[in-house]
Amino acid sequence: MEKQEIMLREIFDNFLKGSTVFRNREVLRHDYVPDNLPHREDHICRLAEIVTPVLKGSLCSNGLIYGKTGTGKTAVTKFVLKQLGEKAFELGSSLRMSFVNCRVTGTEYRVLSALCSSIDVKVPFTGLAVGEVFDRFKRAVDSRDTLLIVILDEIDTIVKDRGDVLLYELTRINTSLRKSKVAVLGISNDLRFKELLDPRVLSTLSEEEIVFSPYNADELQNILEGRAEIAFQEGALSNGAVKLCAALAAAEHGDARRALDLLRVAGELAERKGDRRVSEDHVRQAEKRIEHDRITETLRTLPTHSKIVLLSVYLLSRSNIARSITGDIYNLYCELCDEMGLSPLTQRRVSGLINELDVIGLLNSRVASLGRYGRTRKTSLGVPRRIVRERFAEDERLRHMVDYRPRYLSCPP
Ligand code: ADP
Ligand code: MG
C-alpha cells in the first residue's frame, strides 16, 4: 500500500475507534463558558453587584471591564449575565440583554443591526444610514417597555476604527427614552482604550470599572485542571503537560486562552500519533505549531505594501545582509514596486510600516549608533525565512518575486 493510503486508513480507523485522548474536546474551545471560574470570585461578585438593581426594576450603572486577552472577561460576564437572566425570569421582571462581540460583528452598522435583532427588529443588511438604524433601535427599545443591558465585547476594535460616535449615542440614549432604560457594559482587551474615548463618553461609560489582571502559572494550572477533567480521558494527560502549558502561557501574559490552546493542540498531536498519553513533548510541539499558525495568519492578512517591505528585508537577508539599514530597505522596496507596476509610498510611510511590522514581531528593528556618524536603524526578519518564503509563494502577486535578484545593493555582501 502507498504511504499516503496507509496514513489515510489510520486516520479513518482512529476516528472510528473513538478518541483515545479526548472525552469532550468541545470544552477546550474559546467560547465554552464553564460553570466554575476559579480565581475570579471577586470579579464575579463585583459584576453581580453592579447589575443586581435590574432585578428590582431599576437601571444599573454603566460599566467598563478591561484587561488583556484571556483573562476571563468574556467568560465572567457571560456567566454572571446568564444567572442574572435566569433570576429575572423567575421573578418575572422585564429584562433584556444584548451581547455583541464588536470584533466579530465588524462595523458600527452591523453592531447596531445586531442590537436591533436582539430585540426582534429587522434591519436591512446594508443601505440605511447609521443614524436611521439608531433611531429605529431607539423607538423599538422604548416600545418594549423594558430594561435593556447592552454588552459590547471587544469594544476597542470599533472605537479604534470608527471613533466613539455609537458609544456616545448609546450612553445618551436614556435622555430620549420615555418607557425603557438602557445600560451599557463595555469590555476591552486594550488597556489604553480609555485614552481613545471622548471624555464625556468615558465619564458616562466608566461609572463602574472592573480590571482583570493576568493569571499567574499556578492559577492557570488550576483553570486547566478543571477543564482537562472534562476534556480528556482518564489518565490521558500527564501532570507535567498541564504544568508546562500553564508555565508557557504565564510567561507570555497570563493568557488562559493560550493555555487552553496549548492543551488542545497537544492533545490533537498525541491523538494523531496514536499516543495514549499527552506528554510535555506534545506540548512543546504544540507551541511550535501554534506559533507557526500565528505567523502564517498574520502574513496572509498583511496589506500589500507591508508585504513588499517585508519581502525587501527577506531578499536582503538572502543576500547575506542580516540587518539592513532603512535606506537599503527603501531602495529595494522601490525597485520591487517598480517590477510589480505599483507606485511606491514615501520613505516616511515605509518607515512607519517597518515600525508596525516590528510591533507585530515580523521584523526586529533596532536603533544602532554609528559613533560620530550618528544613529541608524537596523532591521532584520523577526520570523524564520522559510515561513516567509512559503507564504509569499502562495500569494499570486508575490510568487514571482521571492527569487528576485536585487539590481543594486549599497553594501554588497
Ligand atoms: P477574555 O475575554 O478576557 O479574552 P475569555 O473570557 O474569553 O478571556 O477566556 C479565555 C478562555 O479561558 C475561555 O475559554 C474561558 O472559558 C477560559 N477561562 C478564563 N478564565 C477562566 C477561569 N477563571 N476559569 C476557567 N476558565 C477560564
Ligand atoms: Mg473576550
Side-chain angles (χ1 to χ4, degrees), residues 49-118:
E49 279 162 16
I50 294 171
V51 293
T52 343
V54 299
L55 293 176
K56 284 201 166 166
S58 322
L59 184 67
C60 63
S61 305
N62 295 326
L64 190 55
I65 295 171
Y66 57 94
K68 290 193 174 175
T69 46
T71 50
K73 300 180 299 296
T74 303
V76 163
T77 308
K78 283 193 168 163
F79 177 76
V80 171
L81 292 176
K82 182 164 169 263
Q83 308 272 329
L84 182 78
E86 285 169 11
K87 192 74 195 172
F89 184 74
E90 259 173 60
L91 296 170
S93 42
S94 165
L95 170 67
R96 286 172 180 255
M97 291 182 268
S98 313
F99 189 103
V100 182
N101 182 306
C102 301
R103 182 180 50 79
V104 175
T105 313
T107 60
E108 233 173 12
Y109 188 93
R110 293 215 210 124
V111 169
L112 260 175
S113 44
L115 290 178
C116 285
S117 75
S118 73

Side-chain angles (χ1 to χ4, degrees), residues 228-287:
E229 221 168 275
I230 324 173
F232 287 89
Q233 301 278 7
E234 211 171 321
L237 192 60
S238 72
N239 201 8
V242 178
K243 250 201 163 93
L244 185 57
C245 290
L248 291 174
E252 199 148 319
H253 70 249
D255 181 344
R257 179 177 317 199
R258 177 77 168 177
L260 285 163
D261 282 344
L262 282 165
L263 200 59
R264 193 196 71 244
V265 175
E268 286 166 358
L269 290 170
E271 180 170 58
R272 213 163 297 155
K273 286 188 182 157
D275 298 337
R276 293 187 162 270
R277 198 169 160 81
V278 184
S279 67
E280 288 169 52
D281 256 356
H282 294 125
V283 176
R284 293 205 188 278
Q285 286 162 29
E287 189 192 20

Side-chain angles (χ1 to χ4, degrees), residues 117-167:
S117 75
S118 73
I119 51 168
D120 313 316
V121 176
K122 287 216 168 58
V123 173
F125 202 60
T126 56
L128 297 179
V130 173
E132 166 63 20
V133 186
F134 193 77
D135 284 341
R136 288 195 192 183
F137 173 68
K138 206 156 64 179
R139 282 199 299 273
V141 173
D142 218 15
S143 72
R144 301 288 189 274
D145 197 355
T146 186
L147 287 175
L148 173 70
I149 305 182
V150 170
I151 304 99
L152 298 175
D153 198 359
E154 308 201 38
I155 190 177
D156 43 312
T157 53
I158 48 166
V159 172
K160 267 179 208 153
D161 290 348
R162 326 241 147 193
D164 52 8
V165 183
L166 174 63
L167 272 180

Side-chain angles (χ1 to χ4, degrees), residues 357-370:
L357 291 166
D358 180 38
V359 170
I360 55 178
L362 293 178
L363 291 178
N364 284 326
S365 199
R366 283 206 189 81
V367 175
S369 166
L370 295 179

